[in-house]
């Protein structure tokens, strides 16, 4: 099991990583961040993506899908933004958020690696 700091460091080793955050989607607060740039504030991104997660959770509930989200992918011209809800009991209400440089990232590998980070995370 990996601590929050260890999980964030491991996520930053994903090819093309710009920044990563562990976020509480009930409050919108980032519990930890790593990376980012002077023009890319991970705390702002974390808070904003909380609305995305909440909206998708509500929609799934209204549709009575009885399923869970593996990840949410947002593609931009120059970046991928991936949101992965933490599935463990101790991580309920949390999600991992990672931004990737689209030129350098391999999306399939990034999804696989972030899945591994999420499954090893102990909050």
């Amino acid at each position: 099991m990996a601590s929050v700091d260890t999980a964030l460091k491991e996520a930053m080793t994903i090819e093309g990583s710009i920044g990563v955050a562990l976020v509480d989607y009930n409050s919108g607060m980032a519990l930890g961040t790593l990376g980012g740039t002077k023009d890319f504030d991970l705390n702002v991104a974390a808070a904003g993506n909380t609305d995305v997660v909440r909206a998708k959770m509500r929609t799934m509930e209204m549709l009575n899908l009885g399923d869970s989200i593996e990840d949410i992918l947002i593609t931009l011209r120059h970046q991928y933004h991936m949101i992965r809800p933490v599935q463990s009991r101790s991580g309920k209400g949390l999600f991992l958020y990672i931004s990737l440089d689209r030129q350098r990232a391999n999306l399939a590998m990034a999804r696989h690696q972030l899945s591994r980070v999420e499954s090893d995370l102990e909050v």
Side-chain angles (χ1 to χ4, degrees):
M1 293 294 166
S3 70
V4 172
D5 289 339
T6 302
L8 295 175
K9 287 176 186 171
E10 188 174 335
M12 282 301 293
T13 67
I14 296 171
E15 186 69 30
S17 293
I18 298 168
V20 63
L22 178 65
V23 186
D24 179 331
Y25 68 74
N26 294 306
S27 69
M29 297 284 295
L31 304 179
T33 63
L34 192 60
T37 67
K38 66 179 179 71
D39 298 323
F40 189 77
D41 186 330
L42 281 167
N43 288 302
V44 172
N49 281 295
T50 297
D51 293 333
V52 173
V53 174
R54 287 181 192 157
K56 189 60 187 173
M57 295 285 195
R58 272 193 315 272
T59 302
M60 289 179 59
E61 190 175 307
M62 288 187 290
L63 292 172
N64 200 24
L65 293 178
D67 208 347
S68 61
I69 298 170
E70 283 187 18
D71 54 44
I72 299 168
L73 176 65
I74 300 166
T75 58
L76 306 175
R77 184 183 300 162
H78 301 290
Q79 296 177 1
Y80 294 122
H81 292 214
M82 198 176 342
I83 299 166
R84 184 163 188 96
V86 178
Q87 299 298 324
S88 70
R89 180 174 290 154
S90 67
K92 187 165 175 58
L94 304 178
F95 67 88
L96 283 166
Y97 165 76
I98 189 168
S99 61
L100 302 161
D101 179 318
R102 194 168 171 159
Q103 293 285 349
R104 296 182 14 235
N106 176 322
L107 187 55
M109 285 303 296
R111 288 187 69 222
H112 174 73
Q113 290 173 287
L114 193 61
S115 170
R116 194 183 66 230
V117 169
E118 179 265 323
S119 67
D120 289 345
L121 179 63
E122 183 65 38
V123 183

